Amino acid sequence: MEIETIAIHAGNLIEPGSAAIQPLTLSTTFQRDAQGAYPSGYMYTRISNPNRVALENVLTLLEGGEDACAFSSGNAAGSAVFQALEPGSHVIAPVDMYHGLRNQLKVVYNGILEVEFVDMSDLEAVKNALKSNTKLIWIETPSNPLLLLSDITAICDLVKTKDIKVCCDNTFATPVFQNPLKLGADLVMHSTTKYLGGHSDALGGGLITRNKDEFWQRICAVQEHSGAVISPFDCYLTIRGIKTLPYRMKGHDANAKQLVAFLKSHQEVADVFYPGFGGMLSFTTASGESAAKKVANATKIFIQATSLGGVESLIEHRASIEGPDTKTPRNLLRVSVGLENINDLIEDLDAALKV
Ligand SMILES: *Cc1c(COP(=O)(O)O)cnc(C)c1O
């Protein structure tokens, strides 16, 4: 099946003769029969739930994996990978990386994992960082917020014969533009809060695996025992969002490309960062940080807010949300290009850039 069909049907696990859309199962617990067995196949919602099984099924098929685990947030999904590592493991992560996960590595895993941040777009830097206790390479491509690209295939080739897992945060690219498992990665991570959910109203995260190996079993154990699972209602909303993902991504991509062309020709804009696909871009203002902040304040259609991947366009001064240790340029604005009419978006930014 192709992605449009998977997106619509793989998250809808229905019985013949039943409702056409899988119902929401809010029950936290499931009945036992006279023998003490669980005839529904479910026992307790932290362990498993029909809506979560449906979400995990569609995630698995979208990324071409063998299995998936859904979590309460993208950060919880990332944390499950880090928790599954032996203490003392060396982890290589990108310098330009989603700041929430970077902070998690620095704060929560301080003293538990040995984390090293490298320029992941530089293959030599990754190669030079490898150590005897390296157990995980964390890739994020395109990266946040500079939209740098890393070569997933080349990085995976580097560690092919070693006992090192490669996990790729595929939140920005989505399975529409990139399938890291097909390029050699062991695991894919998503913040489903973003494009997969697509409507800025459901928090969630997912991991998809290429193999149901021992490391994956550890991740499944973390999901069950640590319990950072996604609620049935958020599963329902995320599945509903996924149905239109391939079509939404075409719209995000087309709008972003036109916005990039507009920004590149604008005299108030210094640099534009865009990987050539998808709906995320960032740009720097020619007149510095205060100009950037003014622009983010002056838009009428673009909402000044963090996050991304919804149908509505968002604009954000990135350095001020990332905290004092950020390397993000002070005059950088990150834009999540939504699905509004492109002429309205261009007009809105044009007016804001004149303020
Ligand atoms: C938002 C985001 C995350 C974290 O996801 P949450 O759902 O907010 O926990 C991780 N990686 C990327 C690239 C993100 O944009």
Side-chain angles (χ1 to χ4, degrees):
M1 275 197 288
E2 297 297 325
I3 191 163
E4 293 84 356
T5 317
I6 291 169
I8 291 170
H9 290 287
N12 192 34
L13 304 180
I14 48 171
E15 302 293 332
S18 73
I21 299 300
Q22 185 180 343
L24 176 57
T25 306
L26 291 171
S27 184
T28 52
T29 191
F30 297 84
Q31 293 189 49
R32 300 176 76 165
D33 65 15
Q35 286 73 45
Y38 293 90
S40 68
Y42 296 97
M43 181 196 290
Y44 184 64
T45 280
R46 172 163 46 75
I47 298 167
S48 188
N49 169 282
N51 297 107
R52 202 173 87 212
V53 169
L55 176 59
E56 291 170 344
N57 190 58
V58 68
L59 291 177
T60 301
L61 294 181
L62 283 174
E63 289 290 4
E66 268 197 359
D67 200 10
C69 280
F71 294 87
S72 53
S73 68
N75 265 27
S79 193
V81 178
F82 307 140
Q83 277 178 270
L85 294 167
E86 297 286 351
S89 296
H90 179 244
V91 175
I92 302 173
V95 172
D96 194 52
M97 171 181 186
Y98 172 67
H99 77 293
L101 275 172
R102 190 182 61 208
N103 287 342
Q104 180 185 100
L105 281 170
K106 282 186 172 173
V107 177
V108 180
Y109 292 96
N110 179 31
I112 300 170
L113 297 172
E114 189 189 327
V115 185
E116 192 170 340
F117 296 95
V118 305
D119 177 0
M120 199 59 71
S121 61
D122 177 357
L123 195 62
E124 276 304 303
V126 180
K127 200 172 172 181
N128 292 337
L130 290 171
K131 293 175 45 166
S132 59
N133 62 333
T134 305
K135 292 292 173 207
L136 175 72
I137 299 182
W138 186 271
I139 303 178
E140 182 181 318
T141 182
S143 70
N144 187 0
L146 290 177
L147 289 313
L148 302 174
L149 294 177
S150 306
D151 188 339
I152 300 173
T153 309
I155 293 170
C156 292
D157 281 348
L158 214 58
V159 299
K160 215 178 220 163
T161 57
K162 300 190 168 78
D163 180 25
I164 300 175
K165 296 290 179 193
V166 177
C167 181
C168 182
D169 183 340
N170 206 28
T171 301
F172 273 32
T174 81
V176 174
F177 293 113
Q178 177 171 280
N179 287 125
L181 299 183
K182 291 178 186 153
L183 301 174
D186 301 289
L187 296 160
V188 173
M189 177 254 157
H190 278 285
S191 167
T192 61
T193 314
K194 315 295 170 53
Y195 286 111
L196 270 61
H199 296 77
S200 309
D201 56 6
L203 203 67
L207 291 173
I208 303 100
T209 188
R210 192 147 56 94
N211 294 311
K212 288 205 235 179
D213 56 11
E214 201 193 319
F215 190 66
W216 181 249
Q217 298 312 327
R218 290 170 69 98
I219 287 173
C220 294
V222 171
Q223 183 199 35
E224 178 177 333
H225 303 304
S226 288
V229 294
I230 180 169
S231 76
F233 188 54
D234 284 334
C235 291
Y236 185 94
L237 287 176
T238 304
I239 289 166
R240 183 169 147 137
I242 285 172
K243 291 181 193 188
T244 53
L245 175 74
Y247 290 93
R248 283 188 286 107
M249 292 318 294
K250 282 181 200 167
H252 288 297
D253 181 65
N255 273 0
K257 284 188 169 117
Q258 288 201 56
L259 206 60
V260 165
F262 159 77
L263 288 168
K264 280 192 168 159
S265 67
H266 202 291
Q267 61 181 29
E268 282 303 315
V269 174
D271 290 306
V272 182
F273 304 97
Y274 184 65
F277 63 90
M280 292 304 296
L281 64 91
S282 54
F283 67 94
T284 49
T285 46
S287 337
E289 175 169 11
S290 63
K293 285 182 165 166
K294 266 189 205 159
V295 172
N297 247 321
T299 54
K300 297 200 160 57
I301 297 172
F302 286 84
I303 300 169
Q304 187 179 192
T306 194
S307 199
L308 61 115
V311 294
E312 59 287 315
S313 293
L314 304 180
I315 190 164
E316 152 178 60
H317 180 253
R318 195 66 196 162
S320 50
I321 194 172
E322 291 185 343
D325 69 336
T326 180
K327 292 188 171 61
T328 297
R330 305 296 314 181
N331 58 339
L332 181 135
L333 291 170
R334 193 184 77 177
V335 175
S336 173
V337 186
L339 298 179
E340 301 91 340
N341 184 282
I342 186 60
N343 297 325
D344 291 332
L345 293 180
I346 288 175
E347 212 172 282
D348 191 34
L349 259 191
D350 194 30
L353 281 161
K354 286 191 181 113
V355 171

